[in-house]
Every structure is written in structure tokens, then in C-alpha cells.
Amino acid sequence: MQQEFGQPSLALDEAYDLVCIGFGPASLAIAIALYDRGVQPRVLYLERQKNFVWHAGMLLPNARMQISFLKDLATLRNPQSKFTFINYLKSKNRLVAFTNLSTFLPLREEYNDYMTWCAAHFAPLVQYGQETVSVSPRRNGKEPVQSWQVISKNVDTGRRSSITAKHVVIAVGGKPKIPPALTNDDSHTIIVHSSVYSISVPLLLPQKHKAYDLAVIGGGQSSAEIFNDLPSKYPNCRVTLFTGSSALKPSDDSPFVNEVFDPERTDTFYDLPDEAQHKSIASNKATNYGVVRPELLDHLYEIMYQQRLHEPDESKWQRQIVPWTEVTGYEKQDDRRVLLQLRDTSTGQPGVSGSSYDLVIVGTGYERNAHEALLEPTRGLLLSERYEVERDYKVKYRTEAVAEDCGIWLQGCCEESHGVCYFFLLVIKTLGFLG
């Protein structure tokens, strides 16, 4: 579908109505919506991974979704779609059995299988193993931009490809965020992000029964799940979880609070003054950021209590939770283990960990600014200095600079303007060829 060459050429041979950069849940939902509407634009999806997989590094045993399966890729938009989670269960002959579970929260590995099942239907439209490098405007003199040049490279060969599109959706997801103090040239062998936990840890810690000393940094769901999972993988390990908060805190998914995720709430949020938007985001952090599902907290507390029951000396416990503690750096030891530099978040006092660690797993979230580098060639067209978006997620370029039927949309990085529910399916309503 694409011409490959050493350097981008100005003679662009492939033109599309729509190119989606990234083929995760957002782009997959767009593909499904186009299918459901019977619309057949010339569309291409570019994905850096070699195949479809969703959070591969955190597909832990018994880990469940944190949202209802009814908020799948299609149901809220079109309950009759063939791509609903319920129809997936029916096609797999598990619908009746699933209802017997009496849950709205499927296993994470099952939900990944559901999305993989959906993605397989669109395989001919997806170029896997293609990492997008840039999106540039194509214009004739001083006329408004009529289309965009999308440059990507093959992740194996490095060879570049060029295509054009009138509409571009950027949905590349978050980039793992590790504090700068915990990164340097050799830190990748001793400090890893939670996003690659299931992939990297077995390679870095190959001896299942060795008495490893392990550290987990963070107080959110991922850190708690890893803290819970490590002893099952390494029965003789000791694992310490460091959190800057006073304690692990529960997520709030009560019905009234959950309404902040309702699609119509986005309209209200978008029209709020900047200060009110910031206050709203801060007040809703307990729904999703630095918090843990209550049932996992209960499970972990029971484990901690059983340790206390059998061993009064906390220093001998297999699992330890250290609150009020921020990890500010590390010191590599001669044996390739690391000591952690600490700061007491209640007093500001610095310190050093009492133990050295074979591996440190960091659950410190994601950065969602990858679109800025991709869109750097378009910066001169912006309405302001930032990549601000309209209510429909369309990047705000100057009216005279970009044609009305041409544009770029952002997904997964619009919390500041759209709140915690930046409902990605709404973007499909804005694309001109949908009618």
C-alpha cells in the first residue's frame, strides 16, 4: 500500500481520506464506527507494534477491567453493532457462562482478546510495524493546506514511507514516564516502567526461586497490582512498595462520581473557564489517578495482616509498604544492585533505603505529549503557541492557513480541554466524508 524508499520523496503516490496514527482502542473504535455506518473512505491505520495488543506489559493473571464492559468499542454508540463485547462473547460461545459470573468487569486478558478479535476484522487496512515520524502540511504557494504528508518508518529496517491524507487522527497513547533522577544510560537493566512489567521482568529476573530484593514505586493501580503479583512469580523474593502518600488510597467509582465519565459531561467541561477546568480535574483525580480498586486494597491488607499474625517483626516480612516516601534517585552498587535515595514527604528529610534492590519497577504514569513532536512541522500554522483543540478535538490552526475540509484530530491527550471523559467516538462525527 505504500512506496518505501530511503528518504521521503515529494512525489507522493498514496492519497487517503483518513490516516489514523496509532491503532489502539481509539482508532479501532473509529474503524468500527465507519464499518457500522457503511462508509468506505480510503483509510489507513499506522501502528508501531508488530501486531495488535493492548497493555501487553500489564496483562496480569486475574487482573480485571476498571470500567464496565458496556463501555466497549461500540455499545454506547450502537448497541446493535457486531463489534460489541456481548457479540464477541456470543461468537466465542461464552456468553451464557459470562453471565453466570454476575460481573460488569471482565478479566483484562479477556478484554484484550475482545479488542484483538475486533482488530482482526480490519487487518487489511492496518500497516503494523510502522512508526510515524512526522506530519507536515502540503500546500501550493500561499493557498490553505489541502492535505498532510505523513512520514513513517519500518521499525525493523528503518526504511521510510510517505503518504498523504486530508484527515489525520493522532491516537498514539501515552509514553511511559520515569522520573529523570531514575534514568541514565544503564538504568534500563535495573529500573523498568510498569508498562513493560510482564515482558521485561522475566528476562531481567530469570531465576524463579532466587531470593530477589525488589522495589515498586508508586501508589496507583499498576503499582499495587505488581506489588501483589511479584511473590506469585518469585516465591522467595522480598518486595517493598514506596508511595509518597500517607497510604494506598481507593478509587472512587460510585454512581454519582462515575457520571464525570458520561459523554455529555464533556460539553459542560469544555465551556468552563480555565481555572474551573483545573479545579474539576483535580477534584476528580480519585476516579483514576494514584488510586487503587477497593477490592485489591482489601486483598492486600489481608495479606499484610496475615504477615503480622505470623511474624511480629516487620523487617522479616516478605512484603512491605513504605508510605510518606518519595524516591529521588539511586546509587548503583558493585554487585549491580541499587540503593534508593529517598525523601520523607511529610518532613522533607532525605534518606537512603535500608536495603539494596535487584530491580526497581516504576509505576509513575504516562506522558501524553507525543503529538507535539509529530506535529512540529505544522507549528507555524497554529492559532496560538499550543496545540489547542476544538470541542470536536480538531487542532486549532489559523482559518486562512488550513482548508475547511482538511484537518488533524487528537485523541487521548485532551484532558486539559475535555476533562477525564474525552469520549473518542465523538471525533468521527466531524470527518467530512461521513456525511
Side-chain angles (χ1 to χ4, degrees):
M1 299 180 71
Q2 296 170 275
Q3 177 188 3
E4 294 200 330
F5 40 81
Q7 295 294 328
S9 168
L10 295 180
L12 307 177
D13 65 319
E14 296 286 0
Y16 292 87
D17 298 310
L18 169 66
V19 168
C20 289
I21 300 172
F23 194 58
S27 292
L28 180 53
I30 291 173
I32 291 171
L34 293 172
Y35 177 92
D36 286 349
R37 292 188 178 195
V39 179
Q40 295 182 321
R42 186 162 168 75
V43 59
L44 179 68
Y45 303 91
L46 299 174
E47 171 55 45
R48 179 178 56 82
Q49 298 184 109
K50 300 291 187 66
N51 54 272
F52 185 91
V53 65
W54 177 69
H55 291 308
M58 286 299 293
L59 294 177
L60 306 185
N62 302 314
R64 292 194 173 275
M65 293 293 294
Q66 295 175 255
I67 60 172
S68 167
F69 69 81
L70 292 175
K71 296 181 178 181
D72 58 21
L73 298 169
T75 298
L76 296 185
R77 178 186 49 78
N78 177 16
Q80 295 179 310
S81 170
K82 68 177 285 186
F83 295 102
T84 65
F85 182 75
I86 287 178
N87 191 53
Y88 154 78
L89 290 173
K90 180 68 174 178
S91 72
K92 297 290 186 177
N93 198 32
R94 294 201 307 269
L95 179 58
V96 174
F98 183 85
T99 63
N100 292 335
L101 293 174
S102 300
T103 182
F104 281 94
L105 305 176
L107 291 172
R108 198 176 294 157
E109 62 177 326
E110 182 172 35
Y111 204 78
N112 176 67
D113 189 65
Y114 154 64
M115 289 194 288
T116 302
W117 173 80
C118 291
H121 289 75
F122 303 99
L125 304 177
V126 186
Q127 289 285 309
Y128 288 105
Q130 285 288 323
E131 181 177 5
T132 301
V133 176
S134 66
V135 180
S136 305
R138 292 190 74 218
R139 61 197 311 177
N140 185 8
K142 295 184 179 181
E143 292 184 5
V145 174
Q146 300 290 334
S147 62
W148 310 96
Q149 178 186 16
V150 180
I151 303 296
S152 65
K153 67 178 180 181
N154 184 292
V155 297
D156 289 328
T157 67
R159 297 179 67 189
R160 295 195 168 197
S161 303
S162 177
I163 54 177
T164 62
K166 291 187 71 65
H167 309 85
V168 176
V169 174
I170 298 180
V172 293
K175 180 174 65 175
K177 180 174 65 177
I178 298 180
L182 299 179
T183 59
N184 65 27
D185 292 341
D186 62 357
S187 63
H188 65 281
T189 62
I190 47 179
I191 298 176
V192 299
H193 192 267
S194 59
S195 60
V196 295
Y197 168 71
S198 294
I199 301 167
S200 294
V201 170
L203 301 176
L204 297 171
L205 305 176
Q207 301 179 50
K208 178 178 176 62
H209 296 288
K210 185 174 179 178
Y212 291 115
D213 280 303
L214 309 172
V216 180
I217 301 174
Q221 182 72 21
S222 295
S223 296
E225 288 182 2
I226 290 170
F227 180 69
N228 178 58
D229 184 64
L230 279 168
S232 67
K233 286 183 166 56
Y234 303 99
N236 298 317
C237 78
R238 287 165 54 91
V239 55
T240 303
L241 184 145
F242 295 94
T243 174
S245 300
S246 60
L248 296 179
K249 298 179 179 180
S251 59
D252 188 347
D253 63 350
S254 54
F256 289 108
V257 171
N258 237 5
E259 287 188 344
V260 303
F261 294 104
D262 290 357
E264 58 267 22
R265 285 295 186 94
T266 305
D267 292 319
T268 303
F269 184 93
Y270 187 84
D271 293 330
L272 291 174
D274 289 348
E275 184 178 354
Q277 288 181 335
H278 296 153
K279 288 182 178 179
S280 176
I281 290 174
S283 68
N284 291 321
K285 276 190 175 296
T287 61
N288 200 36
Y289 296 107
V291 290
V292 184
R293 293 283 300 182
E295 55 269 26
L296 179 55
L297 287 182
D298 291 343
H299 173 70
L300 288 175
Y301 195 87
E302 183 173 349
I303 290 174
M304 303 301 285
Y305 181 81
Q306 289 178 4
Q307 289 184 141
R308 189 178 300 278
L309 171 66
H310 297 294
E311 177 52 71
D313 185 354
E314 294 185 20
S315 66
K316 297 180 180 179
W317 291 1
Q318 181 182 33
R319 308 184 207 219
Q320 294 185 343
I321 298 176
V322 183
W324 299 109
T325 304
E326 176 187 4
V327 178
T328 59
Y330 71 96
E331 301 173 9
K332 197 165 185 178
Q333 307 298 292
D334 292 338
D335 59 0
R336 297 190 60 80
R337 290 155 64 95
V338 292
L339 283 174
L340 297 179
Q341 298 168 348
L342 310 174
R343 185 181 72 88
D344 188 316
T345 56
S346 64
T347 66
Q349 286 291 111
V352 178
S353 59
S355 302
S356 58
Y357 299 98
D358 296 288
L359 187 67
V360 180
I361 301 145
V362 181
T364 47
Y366 297 82
E367 294 178 321
R368 301 190 181 275
N369 58 0
H371 62 284
E372 295 182 7
L374 293 176
L375 295 179
E376 183 61 29
T378 75
R379 184 175 291 276
L381 307 175
L382 289 172
L383 189 62
S384 66
E385 294 182 357
R386 303 169 57 212
Y387 290 95
E388 297 178 342
V389 292
E390 304 282 0
R391 169 60 187 88
D392 60 9
Y393 307 95
K394 188 177 185 180
V395 176
K396 292 182 179 180
Y397 292 115
R398 298 192 312 277
T399 304
E400 74 280 5
V402 179
E404 186 176 351
D405 64 343
C406 175
I408 295 174
W409 287 259
L410 303 181
Q411 287 296 285
C413 54
C414 303
E415 184 176 272
E416 286 188 5
S417 58
H418 287 67
V420 293
C421 179
Y422 34 85
F423 195 60
F424 52 73
L425 293 185
L426 294 183
V427 75
I428 63 171
K429 296 181 179 179
T430 71
L431 302 179
F433 50 76
L434 289 182

